[in-house]
Amino acid sequence: MNLVSIRIITADVEALIKFYEHITKATIKRFTPDFAELQTKTATLAIGSINTLQYFGGDSVAQAAKNRTTIIEFKVVDVEKEYNRLAPFLEPFIVQKPTIMPWGNNSLLFRDPDGNLVNLFTPITLEPNKKLGPTN
């Protein structure tokens, strides 16, 4: 089993497409007015409108802009460089400026227009501290 995609359900597909294209400098492929994908080497970030919920069991299956449990993560070569490039654009969305985490990543945290938490990170150690292992 391989994780290949994360899908965001939104009421504003266009806003998320523009946001993620700006962040990643990639072109997002729009398949229909209600569905688009950002494809990377390792996974796909799909963006679907609330109209697509009818195919998954109806409007009660998911709610746009209600996520507070998931972090969408992008590994970047230099998080400080990305922060400097994106700081003016991200100003209203920044949660935490680049910070070194205990597990060995330098991370920039911000929210997308729907409130989803996004992490741009750069590993800074060859062997992170056992990825969220005990701190003592």
Side-chain angles (χ1 to χ4, degrees), residues 51-108:
N51 297 331
T52 64
L53 292 176
Q54 66 183 315
Y55 302 109
F56 297 105
D59 293 342
S60 64
V61 172
Q63 294 179 335
K66 298 292 183 188
N67 175 32
R68 292 289 187 221
T69 61
T70 302
I71 303 173
I72 302 163
E73 298 188 301
F74 293 92
K75 185 177 178 181
V76 297
V77 173
D78 184 343
V79 77
E80 296 287 344
K81 184 177 179 181
E82 294 297 327
Y83 171 71
N84 290 331
R85 176 178 73 86
L86 294 167
F89 176 75
L90 287 177
E91 188 60 39
F93 304 106
I94 291 177
V95 173
Q96 180 175 282
K97 293 179 181 180
T99 301
I100 297 173
M101 300 298 188
W103 46 90
N105 291 339
N106 192 6
S107 296
L108 166 63

Short mmCIF file of all heavy atoms in Angstrom, two decimals, residues 51-108:
data_model
loop_
_atom_site.label_atom_id
_atom_site.label_comp_id
_atom_site.label_asym_id
_atom_site.label_seq_id
_atom_site.Cartn_x
_atom_site.Cartn_y
_atom_site.Cartn_z
N ASN A 51 -18.63 20.55 -4.51
CA ASN A 51 -19.52 19.89 -5.47
C ASN A 51 -19.15 18.43 -5.68
O ASN A 51 -20.00 17.63 -6.07
CB ASN A 51 -19.51 20.61 -6.81
CG ASN A 51 -20.03 22.03 -6.70
OD1 ASN A 51 -20.85 22.34 -5.85
ND2 ASN A 51 -19.54 22.90 -7.57
N THR A 52 -17.88 18.06 -5.44
CA THR A 52 -17.46 16.67 -5.65
C THR A 52 -17.92 15.74 -4.54
O THR A 52 -17.83 14.52 -4.68
CB THR A 52 -15.93 16.56 -5.80
OG1 THR A 52 -15.31 16.97 -4.57
CG2 THR A 52 -15.42 17.40 -6.95
N LEU A 53 -18.40 16.28 -3.44
CA LEU A 53 -18.84 15.44 -2.32
C LEU A 53 -19.99 14.52 -2.68
O LEU A 53 -20.14 13.45 -2.08
CB LEU A 53 -19.21 16.31 -1.11
CG LEU A 53 -18.05 17.05 -0.46
CD1 LEU A 53 -18.55 17.96 0.65
CD2 LEU A 53 -17.00 16.08 0.06
N GLN A 54 -20.76 14.88 -3.69
CA GLN A 54 -21.86 14.02 -4.12
C GLN A 54 -21.37 12.64 -4.55
O GLN A 54 -22.08 11.66 -4.47
CB GLN A 54 -22.64 14.70 -5.26
CG GLN A 54 -21.82 14.86 -6.53
CD GLN A 54 -22.56 15.59 -7.63
OE1 GLN A 54 -23.73 15.30 -7.87
NE2 GLN A 54 -21.89 16.53 -8.27
N TYR A 55 -20.11 12.54 -5.00
CA TYR A 55 -19.55 11.27 -5.44
C TYR A 55 -19.04 10.43 -4.27
O TYR A 55 -18.69 9.27 -4.45
CB TYR A 55 -18.41 11.51 -6.44
CG TYR A 55 -18.86 12.30 -7.64
CD1 TYR A 55 -18.45 13.61 -7.82
CD2 TYR A 55 -19.72 11.74 -8.59
CE1 TYR A 55 -18.87 14.35 -8.91
CE2 TYR A 55 -20.15 12.47 -9.69
CZ TYR A 55 -19.72 13.78 -9.84
OH TYR A 55 -20.15 14.50 -10.92
N PHE A 56 -18.97 11.01 -3.09
CA PHE A 56 -18.44 10.33 -1.91
C PHE A 56 -19.50 10.10 -0.84
O PHE A 56 -19.18 9.78 0.29
CB PHE A 56 -17.28 11.13 -1.30
CG PHE A 56 -16.11 11.26 -2.22
CD1 PHE A 56 -15.85 12.45 -2.87
CD2 PHE A 56 -15.26 10.17 -2.44
CE1 PHE A 56 -14.76 12.57 -3.72
CE2 PHE A 56 -14.18 10.29 -3.30
CZ PHE A 56 -13.93 11.49 -3.94
N GLY A 57 -20.75 10.31 -1.16
CA GLY A 57 -21.80 10.04 -0.19
C GLY A 57 -22.57 11.26 0.26
O GLY A 57 -23.41 11.16 1.15
N GLY A 58 -22.29 12.43 -0.28
CA GLY A 58 -23.07 13.61 0.04
C GLY A 58 -22.32 14.66 0.85
O GLY A 58 -21.19 14.45 1.26
N ASP A 59 -22.99 15.77 1.07
CA ASP A 59 -22.38 16.94 1.70
C ASP A 59 -21.87 16.69 3.12
O ASP A 59 -20.99 17.39 3.59
CB ASP A 59 -23.36 18.11 1.72
CG ASP A 59 -23.67 18.64 0.34
OD1 ASP A 59 -22.89 18.35 -0.60
OD2 ASP A 59 -24.67 19.35 0.20
N SER A 60 -22.42 15.72 3.81
CA SER A 60 -22.01 15.50 5.20
C SER A 60 -20.71 14.71 5.33
O SER A 60 -20.18 14.60 6.43
CB SER A 60 -23.13 14.77 5.96
OG SER A 60 -23.33 13.49 5.41
N VAL A 61 -20.17 14.21 4.24
CA VAL A 61 -18.94 13.41 4.28
C VAL A 61 -17.73 14.26 4.68
O VAL A 61 -16.86 13.80 5.43
CB VAL A 61 -18.69 12.73 2.91
CG1 VAL A 61 -17.33 12.07 2.86
CG2 VAL A 61 -19.78 11.73 2.63
N ALA A 62 -17.65 15.48 4.21
CA ALA A 62 -16.54 16.38 4.53
C ALA A 62 -17.06 17.81 4.52
O ALA A 62 -18.08 18.10 3.89
CB ALA A 62 -15.42 16.22 3.50
N GLN A 63 -16.34 18.70 5.22
CA GLN A 63 -16.70 20.11 5.24
C GLN A 63 -15.48 20.94 4.87
O GLN A 63 -14.40 20.74 5.43
CB GLN A 63 -17.18 20.51 6.63
CG GLN A 63 -18.47 19.84 7.03
CD GLN A 63 -18.89 20.27 8.43
OE1 GLN A 63 -18.08 20.66 9.24
NE2 GLN A 63 -20.18 20.18 8.69
N ALA A 64 -15.67 21.86 3.95
CA ALA A 64 -14.59 22.74 3.53
C ALA A 64 -14.15 23.65 4.67
O ALA A 64 -14.97 24.08 5.48
CB ALA A 64 -15.03 23.57 2.33
N ALA A 65 -12.85 23.92 4.72
CA ALA A 65 -12.26 24.88 5.66
C ALA A 65 -12.51 24.55 7.12
O ALA A 65 -12.59 25.43 7.96
CB ALA A 65 -12.75 26.29 5.33
N LYS A 66 -12.60 23.27 7.46
CA LYS A 66 -12.84 22.86 8.85
C LYS A 66 -11.71 22.03 9.43
O LYS A 66 -11.78 21.57 10.56
CB LYS A 66 -14.15 22.04 8.95
CG LYS A 66 -15.38 22.80 8.54
CD LYS A 66 -15.70 23.90 9.51
CE LYS A 66 -17.00 24.59 9.11
NZ LYS A 66 -17.26 25.76 9.89
N ASN A 67 -10.62 21.82 8.67
CA ASN A 67 -9.55 20.95 9.12
C ASN A 67 -8.69 21.63 10.19
O ASN A 67 -8.20 22.72 10.00
CB ASN A 67 -8.67 20.54 7.94
CG ASN A 67 -7.47 19.74 8.38
OD1 ASN A 67 -7.53 19.01 9.35
ND2 ASN A 67 -6.38 19.90 7.68
N ARG A 68 -8.45 20.94 11.30
CA ARG A 68 -7.54 21.40 12.34
C ARG A 68 -6.69 20.24 12.85
O ARG A 68 -6.18 20.28 13.96
CB ARG A 68 -8.32 22.02 13.51
CG ARG A 68 -9.00 23.32 13.16
CD ARG A 68 -7.98 24.42 12.97
NE ARG A 68 -8.65 25.70 12.79
CZ ARG A 68 -8.25 26.60 11.93
NH1 ARG A 68 -7.23 26.38 11.16
NH2 ARG A 68 -8.88 27.73 11.83
N THR A 69 -6.56 19.19 12.04
CA THR A 69 -5.81 18.02 12.50
C THR A 69 -4.68 17.58 11.57
O THR A 69 -3.85 16.78 11.95
CB THR A 69 -6.75 16.81 12.69
OG1 THR A 69 -7.36 16.49 11.43
CG2 THR A 69 -7.81 17.09 13.72
N THR A 70 -4.64 18.09 10.37
CA THR A 70 -3.68 17.63 9.37
C THR A 70 -2.71 18.75 9.01
O THR A 70 -3.10 19.91 8.94
CB THR A 70 -4.42 17.18 8.10
OG1 THR A 70 -5.34 16.15 8.46
CG2 THR A 70 -3.47 16.66 7.05
N ILE A 71 -1.45 18.36 8.79
CA ILE A 71 -0.44 19.31 8.31
C ILE A 71 0.02 18.82 6.94
O ILE A 71 0.44 17.68 6.79
CB ILE A 71 0.77 19.41 9.26
CG1 ILE A 71 0.31 19.80 10.67
CG2 ILE A 71 1.79 20.41 8.72
CD1 ILE A 71 1.43 19.75 11.71
N ILE A 72 -0.09 19.67 5.93
CA ILE A 72 0.37 19.35 4.59
C ILE A 72 1.84 19.75 4.53
O ILE A 72 2.17 20.92 4.75
CB ILE A 72 -0.46 20.10 3.53
CG1 ILE A 72 -1.94 19.74 3.68
CG2 ILE A 72 0.05 19.81 2.12
CD1 ILE A 72 -2.89 20.69 2.99
N GLU A 73 2.73 18.79 4.25
CA GLU A 73 4.16 19.05 4.36
C GLU A 73 4.87 18.94 3.01
O GLU A 73 4.66 17.99 2.26
CB GLU A 73 4.79 18.09 5.36
CG GLU A 73 4.21 18.28 6.75
CD GLU A 73 4.93 17.49 7.81
OE1 GLU A 73 4.98 16.25 7.68
OE2 GLU A 73 5.45 18.11 8.75
N PHE A 74 5.72 19.94 2.76
CA PHE A 74 6.55 19.97 1.56
C PHE A 74 8.01 20.04 1.99
O PHE A 74 8.40 20.97 2.70
CB PHE A 74 6.24 21.20 0.70
CG PHE A 74 4.88 21.20 0.08
CD1 PHE A 74 3.81 21.79 0.73
CD2 PHE A 74 4.66 20.62 -1.16
CE1 PHE A 74 2.55 21.82 0.16
CE2 PHE A 74 3.41 20.64 -1.74
CZ PHE A 74 2.34 21.24 -1.08
N LYS A 75 8.82 19.08 1.56
CA LYS A 75 10.26 19.11 1.81
C LYS A 75 10.88 20.05 0.78
O LYS A 75 10.63 19.92 -0.42
CB LYS A 75 10.84 17.71 1.67
CG LYS A 75 12.29 17.60 2.01
CD LYS A 75 12.73 16.14 1.91
CE LYS A 75 14.20 15.98 2.18
NZ LYS A 75 14.60 14.57 2.05
N VAL A 76 11.69 21.00 1.27
CA VAL A 76 12.34 21.96 0.39
C VAL A 76 13.85 21.94 0.63
O VAL A 76 14.31 21.51 1.68
CB VAL A 76 11.79 23.40 0.59
CG1 VAL A 76 10.31 23.45 0.24
CG2 VAL A 76 12.02 23.90 2.00
N VAL A 77 14.61 22.42 -0.33
CA VAL A 77 16.07 22.42 -0.21
C VAL A 77 16.55 23.36 0.88
O VAL A 77 17.44 23.03 1.65
CB VAL A 77 16.72 22.78 -1.58
CG1 VAL A 77 18.22 22.94 -1.43
CG2 VAL A 77 16.39 21.71 -2.62
N ASP A 78 15.94 24.55 0.97
CA ASP A 78 16.39 25.56 1.92
C ASP A 78 15.19 26.34 2.43
O ASP A 78 14.70 27.25 1.76
CB ASP A 78 17.40 26.48 1.24
CG ASP A 78 18.00 27.52 2.16
OD1 ASP A 78 17.45 27.78 3.26
OD2 ASP A 78 19.05 28.08 1.79
N VAL A 79 14.70 25.99 3.61
CA VAL A 79 13.49 26.63 4.14
C VAL A 79 13.70 28.12 4.40
O VAL A 79 12.77 28.91 4.21
CB VAL A 79 12.97 25.90 5.40
CG1 VAL A 79 13.77 26.23 6.63
CG2 VAL A 79 11.51 26.20 5.61
N GLU A 80 14.89 28.52 4.78
CA GLU A 80 15.16 29.95 5.00
C GLU A 80 15.02 30.73 3.69
O GLU A 80 14.45 31.82 3.66
CB GLU A 80 16.55 30.16 5.60
CG GLU A 80 16.73 29.57 6.98
CD GLU A 80 16.02 30.33 8.09
OE1 GLU A 80 15.62 31.50 7.87
OE2 GLU A 80 15.86 29.76 9.18
N LYS A 81 15.53 30.16 2.61
CA LYS A 81 15.42 30.80 1.29
C LYS A 81 13.96 30.90 0.87
O LYS A 81 13.52 31.93 0.35
CB LYS A 81 16.24 30.01 0.27
CG LYS A 81 16.27 30.62 -1.10
CD LYS A 81 17.16 29.82 -2.03
CE LYS A 81 17.19 30.41 -3.42
NZ LYS A 81 18.03 29.64 -4.34
N GLU A 82 13.20 29.83 1.10
CA GLU A 82 11.77 29.84 0.76
C GLU A 82 11.03 30.85 1.61
O GLU A 82 10.15 31.57 1.12
CB GLU A 82 11.15 28.45 0.92
CG GLU A 82 11.68 27.42 -0.05
CD GLU A 82 11.38 27.75 -1.50
OE1 GLU A 82 10.32 28.35 -1.80
OE2 GLU A 82 12.20 27.41 -2.37
N TYR A 83 11.39 30.95 2.88
CA TYR A 83 10.75 31.94 3.75
C TYR A 83 11.02 33.35 3.21
O TYR A 83 10.09 34.16 3.11
CB TYR A 83 11.25 31.81 5.18
CG TYR A 83 10.79 32.94 6.06
CD1 TYR A 83 9.45 33.04 6.44
CD2 TYR A 83 11.68 33.92 6.48
CE1 TYR A 83 9.01 34.10 7.22
CE2 TYR A 83 11.24 34.98 7.26
CZ TYR A 83 9.92 35.06 7.63
OH TYR A 83 9.48 36.11 8.40
N ASN A 84 12.25 33.64 2.86
CA ASN A 84 12.59 34.97 2.34
C ASN A 84 11.83 35.27 1.05
O ASN A 84 11.38 36.39 0.83
CB ASN A 84 14.09 35.10 2.13
CG ASN A 84 14.84 35.16 3.43
OD1 ASN A 84 14.33 35.61 4.45
ND2 ASN A 84 16.07 34.67 3.43
N ARG A 85 11.66 34.26 0.20
CA ARG A 85 10.93 34.43 -1.06
C ARG A 85 9.44 34.67 -0.81
O ARG A 85 8.80 35.49 -1.47
CB ARG A 85 11.12 33.19 -1.94
CG ARG A 85 10.32 33.20 -3.24
CD ARG A 85 10.58 31.96 -4.08
NE ARG A 85 9.98 30.76 -3.57
CZ ARG A 85 8.72 30.35 -3.82
NH1 ARG A 85 7.92 31.09 -4.57
NH2 ARG A 85 8.27 29.22 -3.32
N LEU A 86 8.88 33.96 0.16
CA LEU A 86 7.44 33.95 0.35
C LEU A 86 6.92 34.86 1.45
O LEU A 86 5.71 35.08 1.56
CB LEU A 86 6.98 32.51 0.65
CG LEU A 86 7.15 31.51 -0.49
CD1 LEU A 86 6.96 30.10 0.01
CD2 LEU A 86 6.18 31.84 -1.62
N ALA A 87 7.80 35.40 2.28
CA ALA A 87 7.36 36.17 3.46
C ALA A 87 6.33 37.26 3.15
O ALA A 87 5.30 37.33 3.84
CB ALA A 87 8.56 36.75 4.20
N PRO A 88 6.53 38.09 2.13
CA PRO A 88 5.51 39.13 1.87
C PRO A 88 4.15 38.54 1.50
O PRO A 88 3.12 39.03 1.94
CB PRO A 88 6.09 39.92 0.69
CG PRO A 88 7.56 39.66 0.73
CD PRO A 88 7.70 38.25 1.26
N PHE A 89 4.17 37.46 0.73
CA PHE A 89 2.93 36.80 0.31
C PHE A 89 2.25 36.10 1.48
O PHE A 89 1.03 36.12 1.62
CB PHE A 89 3.25 35.80 -0.81
CG PHE A 89 2.07 34.98 -1.26
CD1 PHE A 89 1.09 35.54 -2.06
CD2 PHE A 89 1.96 33.65 -0.91
CE1 PHE A 89 0.00 34.78 -2.48
CE2 PHE A 89 0.89 32.88 -1.33
CZ PHE A 89 -0.10 33.46 -2.11
N LEU A 90 3.06 35.47 2.34
CA LEU A 90 2.52 34.66 3.43
C LEU A 90 2.20 35.43 4.70
O LEU A 90 1.62 34.86 5.63
CB LEU A 90 3.52 33.55 3.80
CG LEU A 90 3.67 32.40 2.82
CD1 LEU A 90 4.74 31.45 3.31
CD2 LEU A 90 2.34 31.69 2.63
N GLU A 91 2.57 36.69 4.77
CA GLU A 91 2.45 37.44 6.03
C GLU A 91 1.15 37.19 6.79
O GLU A 91 1.19 36.89 7.98
CB GLU A 91 2.66 38.94 5.78
CG GLU A 91 2.75 39.74 7.04
CD GLU A 91 3.90 39.31 7.96
OE1 GLU A 91 4.99 38.99 7.46
OE2 GLU A 91 3.68 39.29 9.18
N PRO A 92 -0.02 37.27 6.15
CA PRO A 92 -1.25 37.06 6.93
C PRO A 92 -1.50 35.60 7.31
O PRO A 92 -2.38 35.31 8.11
CB PRO A 92 -2.35 37.57 6.00
CG PRO A 92 -1.78 37.48 4.63
CD PRO A 92 -0.30 37.67 4.77
N PHE A 93 -0.71 34.68 6.75
CA PHE A 93 -0.96 33.25 6.96
C PHE A 93 0.05 32.58 7.89
O PHE A 93 -0.14 31.43 8.27
CB PHE A 93 -0.91 32.51 5.60
CG PHE A 93 -1.87 33.07 4.58
CD1 PHE A 93 -1.41 33.83 3.52
CD2 PHE A 93 -3.23 32.80 4.66
CE1 PHE A 93 -2.28 34.33 2.56
CE2 PHE A 93 -4.11 33.30 3.71
CZ PHE A 93 -3.63 34.06 2.66
N ILE A 94 1.15 33.25 8.23
CA ILE A 94 2.24 32.62 8.99
C ILE A 94 1.80 32.27 10.41
O ILE A 94 1.23 33.09 11.12
CB ILE A 94 3.50 33.51 9.00
CG1 ILE A 94 4.09 33.56 7.59
CG2 ILE A 94 4.54 32.98 9.99
CD1 ILE A 94 5.30 34.46 7.45
N VAL A 95 2.09 31.03 10.78
CA VAL A 95 1.85 30.54 12.13
C VAL A 95 3.16 30.56 12.91
O VAL A 95 3.20 30.93 14.07
CB VAL A 95 1.27 29.10 12.09
CG1 VAL A 95 1.18 28.50 13.48
CG2 VAL A 95 -0.08 29.11 11.40
N GLN A 96 4.24 30.14 12.26
CA GLN A 96 5.56 30.09 12.90
C GLN A 96 6.65 30.29 11.85
O GLN A 96 6.69 29.57 10.86
CB GLN A 96 5.75 28.75 13.60
CG GLN A 96 7.06 28.58 14.30
CD GLN A 96 7.10 27.27 15.05
OE1 GLN A 96 6.54 27.16 16.11
NE2 GLN A 96 7.75 26.27 14.48
N LYS A 97 7.50 31.27 12.07
CA LYS A 97 8.64 31.50 11.18
C LYS A 97 9.58 30.30 11.29
O LYS A 97 9.45 29.48 12.19
CB LYS A 97 9.33 32.80 11.56
CG LYS A 97 8.47 34.02 11.28
CD LYS A 97 9.16 35.29 11.68
CE LYS A 97 8.24 36.48 11.39
NZ LYS A 97 8.86 37.75 11.76
N PRO A 98 10.56 30.17 10.37
CA PRO A 98 11.45 29.01 10.41
C PRO A 98 12.00 28.76 11.82
O PRO A 98 12.53 29.66 12.47
CB PRO A 98 12.55 29.38 9.43
CG PRO A 98 11.85 30.24 8.43
CD PRO A 98 10.89 31.06 9.26
N THR A 99 11.81 27.52 12.26
CA THR A 99 12.18 27.09 13.60
C THR A 99 12.75 25.69 13.52
O THR A 99 12.21 24.84 12.82
CB THR A 99 10.93 27.08 14.53
OG1 THR A 99 10.38 28.39 14.55
CG2 THR A 99 11.27 26.63 15.93
N ILE A 100 13.82 25.44 14.26
CA ILE A 100 14.41 24.11 14.29
C ILE A 100 13.62 23.24 15.27
O ILE A 100 13.48 23.58 16.44
CB ILE A 100 15.90 24.16 14.66
CG1 ILE A 100 16.65 24.95 13.58
CG2 ILE A 100 16.47 22.74 14.81
CD1 ILE A 100 18.10 25.24 13.90
N MET A 101 13.11 22.14 14.75
CA MET A 101 12.29 21.22 15.54
C MET A 101 13.17 20.16 16.21
O MET A 101 14.25 19.83 15.69
CB MET A 101 11.25 20.54 14.65
CG MET A 101 10.30 21.50 13.98
SD MET A 101 9.36 22.40 15.24
CE MET A 101 8.19 23.25 14.23
N PRO A 102 12.72 19.57 17.31
CA PRO A 102 13.52 18.57 18.02
C PRO A 102 13.87 17.33 17.18
O PRO A 102 14.84 16.65 17.45
CB PRO A 102 12.64 18.16 19.21
CG PRO A 102 11.63 19.24 19.35
CD PRO A 102 11.49 19.88 18.00
N TRP A 103 13.08 17.05 16.15
CA TRP A 103 13.33 15.86 15.32
C TRP A 103 14.23 16.15 14.13
O TRP A 103 14.43 15.31 13.28
CB TRP A 103 12.01 15.24 14.86
CG TRP A 103 11.00 16.21 14.33
CD1 TRP A 103 10.86 16.63 13.04
CD2 TRP A 103 10.01 16.89 15.08
NE1 TRP A 103 9.84 17.54 12.94
CE2 TRP A 103 9.29 17.72 14.19
CE3 TRP A 103 9.65 16.90 16.42
CZ2 TRP A 103 8.23 18.53 14.60
CZ3 TRP A 103 8.60 17.70 16.82
CH2 TRP A 103 7.91 18.50 15.91
N GLY A 104 14.79 17.36 14.06
CA GLY A 104 15.83 17.62 13.08
C GLY A 104 15.42 18.36 11.83
O GLY A 104 16.16 18.35 10.84
N ASN A 105 14.28 19.01 11.84
CA ASN A 105 13.84 19.79 10.67
C ASN A 105 13.80 21.27 11.00
O ASN A 105 13.44 21.65 12.12
CB ASN A 105 12.43 19.38 10.22
CG ASN A 105 12.38 18.00 9.64
OD1 ASN A 105 13.39 17.46 9.20
ND2 ASN A 105 11.21 17.41 9.62
N ASN A 106 14.14 22.10 10.01
CA ASN A 106 13.88 23.52 10.10
C ASN A 106 12.55 23.72 9.39
O ASN A 106 12.42 23.41 8.21
CB ASN A 106 15.00 24.32 9.43
CG ASN A 106 14.94 25.79 9.74
OD1 ASN A 106 14.13 26.25 10.54
ND2 ASN A 106 15.81 26.55 9.11
N SER A 107 11.55 24.22 10.11
CA SER A 107 10.18 24.24 9.61
C SER A 107 9.57 25.63 9.59
O SER A 107 9.73 26.40 10.53
CB SER A 107 9.28 23.36 10.48
OG SER A 107 9.67 22.02 10.40
N LEU A 108 8.86 25.92 8.52
CA LEU A 108 8.06 27.13 8.37
C LEU A 108 6.60 26.70 8.33
O LEU A 108 6.22 25.89 7.47
CB LEU A 108 8.43 27.86 7.07
CG LEU A 108 7.48 28.95 6.58
CD1 LEU A 108 7.41 30.11 7.57
CD2 LEU A 108 7.91 29.45 5.20
#
